Structures are given as C-alpha cells and as structure tokens.
Coordinates of all heavy atoms in Angstrom, one line a residue:
Y1 N 0.9 -1.2 0.0 CA 0.0 0.0 0.0 C 0.9 1.3 0.0 O 2.0 1.2 0.4 CB -1.0 0.0 1.3 CG -0.3 0.2 2.5 CD1 -0.1 1.4 3.1 CD2 0.2 -0.9 3.2 CE1 0.5 1.6 4.4 CE2 0.8 -0.8 4.6 CZ 0.9 0.4 5.0 OH 1.6 0.6 6.2
D2 N 0.3 2.3 -0.5 CA 0.9 3.7 -0.5 C 0.1 4.4 0.7 O -1.0 4.3 0.8 CB 0.9 4.4 -1.7 CG 1.6 3.7 -2.8 OD1 2.5 2.9 -2.6 OD2 1.2 3.9 -4.1
A3 N 0.9 5.3 1.3 CA 0.3 6.1 2.4 C 0.3 7.6 1.9 O 1.2 8.0 1.3 CB 1.0 6.0 3.8
L4 N -0.8 8.2 2.1 CA -0.9 9.6 1.8 C -0.8 10.6 3.0 O -1.6 10.4 3.9 CB -2.2 9.8 1.0 CG -2.6 11.3 0.6 CD1 -1.5 11.8 -0.3 CD2 -3.9 11.3 0.0
S5 N 0.0 11.5 2.9 CA 0.1 12.6 3.9 C -0.4 13.8 3.2 O 0.2 14.1 2.1 CB 1.6 12.7 4.4 OG 1.6 13.7 5.3
Y6 N -1.2 14.6 3.7 CA -1.8 15.7 3.0 C -2.2 16.8 4.1 O -2.5 16.4 5.3 CB -3.0 15.4 2.2 CG -4.1 14.8 2.9 CD1 -5.2 15.6 3.2 CD2 -4.1 13.5 3.4 CE1 -6.3 15.1 4.0 CE2 -5.2 13.0 4.3 CZ -6.2 13.8 4.5 OH -7.3 13.4 5.3
A7 N -2.5 17.9 3.6 CA -2.9 19.1 4.5 C -4.6 18.9 4.5 O -5.2 18.9 3.4 CB -2.6 20.4 3.9
W8 N -5.0 18.8 5.7 CA -6.5 18.7 5.8 C -7.3 19.9 5.3 O -8.2 19.7 4.6 CB -6.9 18.4 7.4 CG -6.9 17.0 7.8 CD1 -5.8 16.3 7.7 CD2 -8.0 16.3 8.2 NE1 -6.1 15.0 8.2 CE2 -7.4 15.0 8.5 CE3 -9.3 16.5 8.5 CZ2 -8.2 13.9 9.0 CZ3 -10.0 15.5 8.9 CH2 -9.6 14.2 9.2
E9 N -6.8 21.1 5.7 CA -7.5 22.3 5.1 C -9.0 22.2 5.3 O -9.7 22.5 4.3 CB -7.1 22.6 3.7 CG -5.6 22.9 3.6 CD -5.2 23.4 2.0 OE1 -6.1 23.3 1.2 OE2 -4.1 23.8 2.0
S10 N -9.5 21.9 6.4 CA -10.9 21.9 6.6 C -11.7 23.1 6.5 O -12.9 23.2 6.3 CB -11.2 21.3 8.0 OG -10.7 22.2 9.0
D11 N -11.0 24.2 6.5 CA -11.6 25.6 6.4 C -12.0 25.8 4.9 O -12.8 26.8 4.7 CB -10.7 26.7 6.8 CG -9.4 26.8 6.0 OD1 -8.8 25.7 5.7 OD2 -8.9 27.8 5.9
K12 N -11.6 24.9 4.1 CA -11.9 25.2 2.6 C -13.1 24.3 2.1 O -13.4 24.2 1.0 CB -10.7 24.8 1.7 CG -9.6 25.8 2.0 CD -8.6 25.9 0.9 CE -7.6 26.9 1.4 NZ -6.7 27.4 0.5
G13 N -13.8 23.8 3.1 CA -15.0 23.0 2.8 C -14.8 21.6 2.6 O -13.7 21.1 2.6
T14 N -15.9 20.8 2.4 CA -15.8 19.3 2.2 C -16.7 19.1 0.9 O -17.4 19.9 0.4 CB -16.6 18.7 3.4 OG1 -17.8 19.1 3.6 CG2 -15.7 18.9 4.7
T15 N -16.5 17.8 0.6 CA -17.2 17.2 -0.6 C -17.4 15.8 -0.3 O -16.9 15.2 0.5 CB -16.4 17.5 -1.9 OG1 -17.3 17.1 -3.0 CG2 -15.2 16.7 -2.0
I16 N -18.4 15.1 -1.2 CA -18.6 13.7 -1.0 C -17.9 12.9 -2.0 O -17.9 13.3 -3.1 CB -20.1 13.5 -1.1 CG1 -21.0 14.3 -0.1 CG2 -20.5 12.0 -1.1 CD1 -20.7 13.9 1.4
I17 N -17.3 11.9 -1.6 CA -16.6 10.9 -2.6 C -17.2 9.6 -2.3 O -17.9 9.4 -1.4 CB -15.1 10.9 -2.4 CG1 -14.8 10.3 -1.0 CG2 -14.5 12.3 -2.7 CD1 -13.3 10.0 -0.8
Q18 N -16.9 8.7 -3.3 CA -17.4 7.3 -3.2 C -16.1 6.4 -3.1 O -15.3 6.5 -3.9 CB -18.3 6.9 -4.4 CG -18.9 5.6 -4.3 CD -19.9 5.4 -5.4 OE1 -20.3 6.2 -6.1 NE2 -20.3 4.0 -5.5
V19 N -16.2 5.5 -2.0 CA -15.1 4.6 -1.9 C -15.7 3.2 -1.6 O -16.5 3.1 -0.7 CB -14.3 5.0 -0.6 CG1 -13.1 4.0 -0.4 CG2 -13.6 6.4 -0.8
D20 N -15.4 2.3 -2.5 CA -16.0 1.0 -2.4 C -17.4 0.9 -2.2 O -18.0 0.2 -1.4 CB -15.3 0.2 -1.3 CG -13.8 -0.2 -1.5 OD1 -13.6 -0.3 -2.8 OD2 -13.1 -0.3 -0.7
G21 N -18.2 1.8 -3.0 CA -19.6 1.9 -3.0 C -20.2 2.7 -1.8 O -21.4 2.7 -1.6
H22 N -19.3 3.3 -0.9 CA -19.9 4.0 0.3 C -19.5 5.4 0.0 O -18.5 5.8 -0.5 CB -19.1 3.6 1.6 CG -19.3 2.2 1.9 ND1 -20.4 1.7 2.4 CD2 -18.5 1.1 1.7 CE1 -20.3 0.3 2.6 NE2 -19.2 -0.1 2.2
H23 N -20.4 6.4 0.4 CA -20.2 7.8 0.3 C -19.6 8.3 1.6 O -20.1 8.1 2.6 CB -21.6 8.5 0.0 CG -22.1 8.1 -1.3 ND1 -23.0 7.1 -1.5 CD2 -21.9 8.7 -2.5 CE1 -23.2 7.0 -2.8 NE2 -22.7 8.0 -3.4
L24 N -18.5 9.1 1.4 CA -17.8 9.7 2.5 C -17.6 11.2 2.3 O -17.4 11.6 1.2 CB -16.4 9.1 2.6 CG -16.3 7.5 2.9 CD1 -14.9 7.1 2.8 CD2 -16.9 7.2 4.3
Q25 N -17.8 11.9 3.4 CA -17.5 13.3 3.3 C -16.1 13.5 3.7 O -15.5 13.1 4.7 CB -18.4 14.0 4.3 CG -18.3 15.6 4.2 CD -19.4 16.2 5.1 OE1 -20.3 15.5 5.5 NE2 -19.2 17.5 5.1
V26 N -15.3 14.3 2.8 CA -13.8 14.5 2.9 C -13.6 16.0 2.7 O -14.4 16.6 2.0 CB -13.0 13.6 2.1 CG1 -13.2 12.1 2.4 CG2 -13.2 13.8 0.6
T27 N -12.4 16.4 3.0 CA -12.0 17.8 2.7 C -11.8 17.9 1.2 O -11.5 17.0 0.4 CB -10.8 18.2 3.4 OG1 -9.6 17.5 3.0 CG2 -11.0 18.1 4.8
R28 N -12.1 19.1 0.6 CA -11.9 19.3 -0.8 C -10.5 19.0 -1.2 O -10.2 18.5 -2.3 CB -12.3 20.7 -1.1 CG -13.7 21.0 -1.1 CD -14.1 22.4 -1.6 NE -15.5 22.7 -1.4 CZ -16.4 22.2 -2.2 NH1 -16.3 21.4 -3.2 NH2 -17.7 22.6 -1.9
N29 N -9.5 19.3 -0.3 CA -8.1 19.1 -0.7 C -7.9 17.5 -0.8 O -7.1 17.1 -1.7 CB -7.1 19.7 0.4 CG -5.7 19.7 0.0 OD1 -5.4 20.0 -1.2 ND2 -4.8 19.4 0.9
L30 N -8.5 16.7 0.0 CA -8.2 15.3 0.0 C -8.9 14.7 -1.4 O -8.4 14.1 -2.0 CB -8.8 14.6 1.1 CG -8.9 13.0 1.0 CD1 -7.4 12.5 0.8 CD2 -9.4 12.4 2.4
A31 N -10.0 15.3 -1.7 CA -10.8 14.9 -2.9 C -9.8 15.3 -4.1 O -9.7 14.4 -5.0 CB -12.1 15.6 -3.0
H32 N -9.2 16.4 -4.1 CA -8.3 16.8 -5.2 C -7.0 15.8 -5.2 O -6.7 15.4 -6.4 CB -7.8 18.2 -5.0 CG -8.6 19.4 -5.3 ND1 -9.1 19.5 -6.5 CD2 -9.2 20.3 -4.5 CE1 -10.0 20.7 -6.6 NE2 -10.0 21.1 -5.3
A33 N -6.6 15.5 -4.1 CA -5.5 14.6 -4.1 C -5.7 13.2 -4.7 O -5.1 12.5 -5.4 CB -5.0 14.4 -2.6
L34 N -7.0 12.7 -4.2 CA -7.4 11.3 -4.6 C -7.6 11.3 -6.2 O -7.2 10.4 -6.8 CB -8.6 10.9 -4.0 CG -8.5 10.6 -2.4 CD1 -9.7 10.4 -1.8 CD2 -7.4 9.5 -2.3
R35 N -8.2 12.4 -6.6 CA -8.4 12.5 -8.2 C -7.1 12.5 -8.9 O -6.8 11.9 -9.9 CB -9.3 13.7 -8.5 CG -10.7 13.5 -8.3 CD -11.7 14.5 -9.0 NE -11.4 15.8 -8.4 CZ -12.1 16.2 -7.3 NH1 -13.0 15.5 -6.8 NH2 -11.8 17.4 -6.8
R36 N -6.1 13.4 -8.4 CA -4.8 13.5 -9.1 C -4.0 12.2 -8.9 O -3.2 11.9 -9.9 CB -4.0 14.7 -8.4 CG -2.7 14.9 -8.9 CD -2.7 15.3 -10.4 NE -1.3 15.6 -10.9 CZ -0.6 14.7 -11.3 NH1 -0.9 13.5 -11.5 NH2 0.7 15.1 -11.8
L37 N -4.1 11.5 -7.9 CA -3.3 10.2 -7.7 C -3.9 9.0 -8.2 O -3.2 7.9 -8.3 CB -3.1 10.0 -6.2 CG -2.2 11.2 -5.5 CD1 -2.2 11.0 -3.9 CD2 -0.8 11.2 -6.0
R38 N -5.1 9.2 -8.8 CA -5.8 7.9 -9.4 C -5.0 7.5 -10.6 O -4.4 8.3 -11.3 CB -7.2 8.5 -9.9 CG -8.1 7.3 -10.4 CD -9.4 7.9 -10.8 NE -9.9 8.7 -9.9 CZ -11.0 9.5 -10.1 NH1 -11.7 9.4 -11.1 NH2 -11.4 10.3 -9.2
R39 N -5.1 6.2 -10.7 CA -4.4 5.5 -11.8 C -5.4 4.7 -12.6 O -5.8 3.6 -12.3 CB -3.2 4.6 -11.4 CG -2.0 5.3 -10.8 CD -1.1 4.3 -10.3 NE 0.1 4.9 -9.8 CZ 1.1 4.1 -9.1 NH1 0.9 2.9 -9.0 NH2 2.1 4.8 -8.6
P40 N -6.0 5.5 -13.6 CA -7.0 4.8 -14.4 C -6.7 3.4 -14.9 O -5.6 3.3 -15.5 CB -7.4 5.7 -15.5 CG -7.0 7.1 -15.0 CD -5.8 6.8 -14.1
G41 N -7.4 2.4 -14.7 CA -7.2 1.1 -15.2 C -6.1 0.3 -14.4 O -5.9 -0.8 -14.6
V42 N -5.6 0.9 -13.3 CA -4.6 0.2 -12.4 C -5.0 0.4 -11.0 O -5.4 1.3 -10.5 CB -3.2 0.9 -12.6 CG1 -2.3 0.3 -11.6 CG2 -2.8 0.9 -14.0
A43 N -5.1 -0.8 -10.4 CA -5.4 -0.9 -9.0 C -4.4 -0.3 -8.1 O -3.2 -0.5 -8.4 CB -5.7 -2.4 -8.5
R44 N -4.8 0.5 -7.1 CA -3.9 1.1 -6.2 C -4.5 1.1 -4.8 O -5.7 1.5 -4.7 CB -3.7 2.6 -6.6 CG -2.7 3.3 -5.7 CD -2.5 4.7 -6.2 NE -1.1 5.0 -5.9 CZ -0.5 6.1 -6.3 NH1 -1.1 6.9 -7.1 NH2 0.8 6.3 -6.1
T45 N -3.8 0.7 -3.8 CA -4.3 0.7 -2.4 C -3.6 1.9 -1.7 O -2.3 2.0 -1.7 CB -3.9 -0.6 -1.7 OG1 -4.4 -1.7 -2.4 CG2 -4.4 -0.6 -0.2
L46 N -4.4 2.9 -1.3 CA -3.8 3.9 -0.5 C -4.4 4.0 0.9 O -5.5 3.6 1.1 CB -4.5 5.3 -1.1 CG -3.8 5.8 -2.4 CD1 -4.6 7.0 -2.9 CD2 -2.3 6.1 -2.2
W47 N -3.5 4.2 1.9 CA -3.9 4.5 3.2 C -4.0 5.9 3.4 O -3.1 6.7 3.2 CB -2.9 3.8 4.2 CG -3.3 4.0 5.7 CD1 -4.2 3.0 6.3 CD2 -3.1 5.1 6.5 NE1 -4.3 3.5 7.6 CE2 -3.8 4.8 7.7 CE3 -2.5 6.3 6.5 CZ2 -3.8 5.5 8.8 CZ3 -2.5 7.2 7.5 CH2 -3.2 6.8 8.7
V48 N -5.3 6.3 3.7 CA -5.5 7.7 4.0 C -6.2 7.9 5.4 O -7.3 7.3 5.6 CB -6.5 8.3 2.9 CG1 -6.7 9.8 3.2 CG2 -5.9 8.1 1.6
D49 N -5.6 8.7 6.3 CA -6.2 8.7 7.7 C -7.7 9.1 7.7 O -8.5 8.3 8.4 CB -5.4 9.6 8.5 CG -5.4 11.1 8.0 OD1 -5.9 11.4 7.0 OD2 -4.7 11.9 8.7
A50 N -8.2 10.1 7.0 CA -9.5 10.4 7.0 C -10.5 9.2 6.6 O -11.7 9.3 6.8 CB -9.7 11.7 6.2
I51 N -10.0 8.4 5.7 CA -10.8 7.2 5.2 C -10.6 6.0 6.0 O -11.6 5.3 6.4 CB -10.5 7.0 3.8 CG1 -10.9 8.3 2.9 CG2 -11.2 5.8 3.1 CD1 -10.5 8.2 1.5
C52 N -9.4 5.7 6.4 CA -9.1 4.4 7.1 C -9.3 4.4 8.5 O -9.4 3.4 9.2 CB -7.7 4.1 6.8 SG -7.3 3.7 5.0
I53 N -9.5 5.7 9.2 CA -9.7 5.8 10.6 C -11.1 6.3 10.7 O -11.4 7.3 10.1 CB -8.7 6.7 11.3 CG1 -7.3 6.2 11.1 CG2 -9.1 6.9 12.7 CD1 -6.2 7.2 11.6
N54 N -11.9 5.6 11.5 CA -13.3 6.1 11.9 C -13.2 7.4 12.7 O -12.9 7.4 13.9 CB -14.0 5.1 12.7 CG -15.4 5.5 13.0 OD1 -15.9 6.6 12.8 ND2 -16.2 4.5 13.6
Q55 N -13.4 8.5 12.0 CA -13.3 9.9 12.6 C -14.3 10.2 13.6 O -14.0 11.1 14.4 CB -13.3 11.0 11.5 CG -12.3 10.8 10.4 CD -10.9 10.9 10.9 OE1 -10.6 11.8 11.8 NE2 -10.0 10.0 10.6
S56 N -15.4 9.4 13.7 CA -16.4 9.6 14.7 C -16.1 8.8 16.0 O -16.8 8.9 17.0 CB -17.7 9.4 14.3 OG -18.0 8.1 13.8
D57 N -15.1 8.0 16.0 CA -14.7 7.2 17.1 C -13.4 7.6 17.8 O -12.3 7.3 17.3 CB -14.6 5.7 16.6 CG -14.4 4.6 17.8 OD1 -13.9 5.0 18.9 OD2 -14.7 3.5 17.6
N58 N -13.4 8.3 18.9 CA -12.3 8.9 19.5 C -11.4 7.8 20.0 O -10.1 8.0 20.0 CB -12.7 9.9 20.7 CG -13.3 11.2 20.0 OD1 -12.9 11.6 19.0 ND2 -14.1 11.7 20.9
E59 N -11.9 6.6 20.5 CA -11.0 5.6 20.9 C -10.2 5.1 19.7 O -9.0 4.9 19.9 CB -11.8 4.6 21.6 CG -11.0 3.5 22.2 CD -11.9 2.5 23.0 OE1 -12.8 2.9 23.7 OE2 -11.6 1.3 22.9
E60 N -10.8 4.7 18.6 CA -10.2 4.3 17.5 C -9.1 5.2 16.9 O -8.0 4.9 16.6 CB -11.1 3.9 16.3 CG -10.4 3.4 15.2 CD -11.3 3.0 13.9 OE1 -12.5 2.8 14.2 OE2 -10.8 3.0 12.8
K61 N -9.5 6.6 16.9 CA -8.6 7.6 16.5 C -7.3 7.6 17.3 O -6.2 7.7 16.8 CB -9.3 8.9 16.5 CG -10.2 9.2 15.2 CD -10.5 10.7 15.1 CE -11.2 11.3 16.2 NZ -11.7 12.7 16.0
S62 N -7.5 7.4 18.6 CA -6.4 7.5 19.5 C -5.5 6.4 19.2 O -4.3 6.5 19.2 CB -6.9 7.5 21.0 OG -5.8 7.4 21.9
R63 N -6.0 5.1 19.1 CA -5.2 3.9 18.9 C -4.5 4.0 17.4 O -3.2 3.8 17.4 CB -6.1 2.7 18.8 CG -6.4 2.0 20.1 CD -7.0 0.6 20.0 NE -8.0 0.5 18.9 CZ -9.2 0.6 19.0 NH1 -9.8 1.1 20.1 NH2 -10.1 0.5 18.0
Q64 N -5.2 4.5 16.4 CA -4.7 4.6 15.2 C -3.5 5.7 15.1 O -2.5 5.4 14.4 CB -5.8 5.0 14.1 CG -6.7 3.8 13.8 CD -6.0 2.8 13.0 OE1 -5.2 2.9 12.2 NE2 -6.6 1.5 13.1
V65 N -3.7 6.7 15.7 CA -2.6 7.8 15.8 C -1.4 7.2 16.4 O -0.3 7.5 15.8 CB -3.1 9.1 16.5 CG1 -2.0 10.0 16.8 CG2 -4.2 9.9 15.7
G66 N -1.5 6.4 17.4 CA -0.4 5.7 18.0 C 0.3 4.7 17.0 O 1.5 4.4 17.2
M67 N -0.4 4.3 16.1 CA 0.2 3.4 15.0 C 0.7 4.1 13.8 O 1.2 3.4 12.9 CB -0.8 2.3 14.6 CG -1.3 1.5 15.7 SD -2.8 0.5 15.5 CE -2.5 -0.2 13.8
M68 N 0.5 5.4 13.7 CA 0.8 6.0 12.4 C 2.3 6.0 12.0 O 2.6 5.8 10.8 CB 0.3 7.5 12.4 CG -1.2 7.5 12.2 SD -1.9 9.1 12.2 CE -1.6 9.7 10.7
K69 N 3.1 6.0 12.9 CA 4.6 5.9 12.6 C 4.7 4.6 11.9 O 5.5 4.6 10.8 CB 5.4 6.1 13.9 CG 7.0 5.9 13.7 CD 7.7 5.9 14.9 CE 9.2 5.9 14.7 NZ 9.7 4.5 14.4
N70 N 4.3 3.4 12.4 CA 4.4 2.2 11.9 C 3.8 2.1 10.4 O 4.2 1.5 9.4 CB 3.8 1.1 12.7 CG 4.2 -0.3 12.2 OD1 5.0 -0.5 11.3 ND2 3.6 -1.2 12.8
I71 N 2.5 2.7 10.4 CA 1.7 2.8 9.2 C 2.6 3.3 8.0 O 2.8 2.9 6.9 CB 0.5 3.4 9.3 CG1 -0.5 2.6 10.2 CG2 -0.2 3.8 7.9 CD1 -1.8 3.2 10.6
Y72 N 3.2 4.5 8.3 CA 3.9 5.3 7.2 C 5.3 4.5 6.9 O 5.7 4.4 5.8 CB 4.3 6.7 7.7 CG 3.0 7.7 7.5 CD1 2.2 8.0 8.5 CD2 2.6 8.0 6.2 CE1 1.2 8.7 8.4 CE2 1.6 8.7 6.0 CZ 0.9 9.2 7.1 OH -0.2 10.0 6.9
E73 N 5.9 3.9 8.1 CA 7.2 3.2 7.7 C 7.0 2.0 7.0 O 7.9 1.5 6.2 CB 7.8 2.9 9.1 CG 8.5 4.0 9.9 CD 9.1 3.7 11.2 OE1 8.8 2.6 11.7 OE2 10.0 4.4 11.7
S74 N 5.8 1.4 7.0 CA 5.6 0.0 6.4 C 5.0 0.2 5.0 O 4.9 -0.7 4.1 CB 4.5 -0.7 7.1 OG 5.0 -1.1 8.4
A75 N 4.7 1.5 4.6 CA 4.1 1.8 3.3 C 5.2 1.6 2.2 O 6.4 1.8 2.5 CB 3.6 3.2 3.3
S76 N 4.8 1.2 1.0 CA 5.7 1.0 -0.1 C 6.2 2.4 -0.5 O 7.4 2.6 -0.8 CB 5.0 0.4 -1.3 OG 4.7 -1.0 -1.0
F77 N 5.3 3.4 -0.5 CA 5.6 4.8 -0.7 C 4.8 5.7 0.1 O 3.6 5.3 0.5 CB 5.2 5.1 -2.2 CG 6.0 4.4 -3.2 CD1 5.6 3.2 -4.0 CD2 7.3 4.9 -3.6 CE1 6.3 2.6 -4.8 CE2 8.0 4.3 -4.6 CZ 7.6 3.1 -5.1
V78 N 5.3 6.8 0.4 CA 4.6 7.8 1.2 C 4.4 9.0 0.3 O 5.4 9.5 -0.2 CB 5.2 8.2 2.7 CG1 4.5 9.3 3.1 CG2 5.4 7.0 3.5
L79 N 3.2 9.3 -0.1 CA 2.9 10.3 -1.0 C 2.6 11.6 -0.2 O 1.8 11.5 0.7 CB 1.8 10.0 -1.8 CG 2.0 8.7 -2.6 CD1 0.7 8.1 -3.1 CD2 2.9 8.8 -3.7
I80 N 3.1 12.8 -0.6 CA 2.8 14.1 0.1 C 2.0 14.9 -0.9 O 2.4 15.1 -2.1 CB 4.2 14.8 0.3 CG1 5.2 13.9 1.1 CG2 3.9 16.2 1.2 CD1 4.9 13.6 2.4
W81 N 0.9 15.4 -0.5 CA 0.0 16.2 -1.1 C -0.2 17.5 -0.5 O -0.8 17.6 0.6 CB -1.4 15.6 -1.5 CG -2.3 16.5 -2.2 CD1 -3.3 17.3 -1.7 CD2 -2.4 16.7 -3.5 NE1 -4.0 17.9 -2.7 CE2 -3.4 17.6 -3.8 CE3 -1.6 16.2 -4.7 CZ2 -3.7 18.0 -5.1 CZ3 -2.0 16.6 -5.9 CH2 -3.0 17.4 -6.2
L82 N 0.3 18.7 -1.1 CA 0.2 20.0 -0.5 C -1.0 20.7 -1.1 O -1.4 21.7 -0.5 CB 1.5 20.8 -0.8 CG 2.8 20.2 -0.3 CD1 3.9 20.9 -0.7 CD2 2.6 20.0 1.2
G83 N -1.5 20.3 -2.2 CA -2.7 21.0 -2.8 C -2.6 21.1 -4.3 O -1.4 20.9 -4.8
P84 N -3.6 21.5 -5.0 CA -3.5 21.5 -6.4 C -2.7 22.8 -6.7 O -2.5 23.7 -6.0 CB -5.0 21.8 -6.8 CG -5.7 22.3 -5.6 CD -5.0 21.7 -4.5
E85 N -2.1 22.7 -8.0 CA -1.3 23.8 -8.5 C -2.2 25.0 -8.6 O -3.2 24.9 -9.2 CB -0.6 23.4 -9.8 CG 0.5 22.4 -9.6 CD 1.1 22.3 -11.0 OE1 1.6 23.3 -11.6 OE2 1.1 21.1 -11.5
P86 N -1.6 26.2 -8.3 CA -2.5 27.3 -8.6 C -2.5 27.6 -10.2 O -1.7 27.2 -10.8 CB -1.7 28.5 -8.0 CG -0.3 28.0 -7.7 CD -0.4 26.5 -7.6
D87 N -3.6 28.3 -10.5 CA -3.7 28.6 -12.0 C -2.7 29.4 -12.5 O -2.1 30.3 -12.0 CB -5.1 29.1 -12.3 CG -6.3 28.1 -12.0 OD1 -5.9 26.8 -12.1 OD2 -7.4 28.5 -11.7

C-alpha cells in the first residue's frame, strides 16, 4: 500500500466521494489529491487517515494515531499532497 500525507485544510469546505460503494465526506483538498493520484485502469491501495480511521470514534482515532509511525514506515511509498497547483 501507499500512504498519503496531506493538508486537511478543513476551512476550505468538504465534498462527498465514493469509496468501495460508500459515500464519504472528505475535505476538498483530499478529494483533489485522490483524483490526481488516481491511476485509471490500475488498482492502487492507498492508506488515508480520514478514510481508514473512523473519525467519529475517538478511541479508534487514539489507537490509530499511535500506530501512524508504523503505518507510514511500512508503506511502499509515502505520498505528500500540498494541494492543487495554482492557475
């Protein structure tokens, strides 16, 4: 898997994306990153905190945050997303 590190930028609003048939609300910056990192026709496994961690479960978030060092170290690649290029 590849792990994605990105700026949450929650002040810029959210949008709905579809992941494995489920609708999720994510920041616009994450939606931009996912569209940009998509590989049409090629399967890709991404670990993204906002998607892989249940954000409404504080206990799970606490456990997962404690594991993030290992998650990033174990990833094949760590991708960094700062945001879309300005026009």
Side-chain angles (χ1 to χ4, degrees):
Y1 67 93
D2 297 339
L4 176 61
S5 178
Y6 65 99
W8 272 61
E9 294 188 355
S10 59
D11 61 325
K12 298 199 180 196
T14 60
T15 191
I16 303 294
I17 63 169
Q18 187 172 347
V19 177
D20 291 333
H22 301 278
H23 291 93
L24 299 172
Q25 187 170 351
V26 299
T27 65
R28 290 187 187 280
N29 194 44
L30 175 55
H32 284 294
L34 294 173
R35 280 192 296 274
R36 177 63 176 92
L37 297 171
R38 184 181 317 171
R39 293 180 176 167
V42 178
R44 180 177 214 173
T45 302
L46 282 175
W47 184 89
V48 180
D49 58 357
I51 296 171
C52 295
I53 299 173
N54 181 352
Q55 299 298 312
S56 63
D57 184 336
N58 289 332
E59 187 176 316
E60 179 180 338
K61 281 196 300 189
S62 179
R63 276 194 319 271
Q64 291 283 333
V65 167
M67 296 170 46
M68 285 177 77
K69 178 180 184 287
N70 188 12
I71 290 167
Y72 283 105
E73 285 180 343
S74 298
S76 297
F77 294 97
V78 175
L79 307 160
I80 310 288
W81 178 262
L82 301 176
E85 288 185 56
D87 293 335

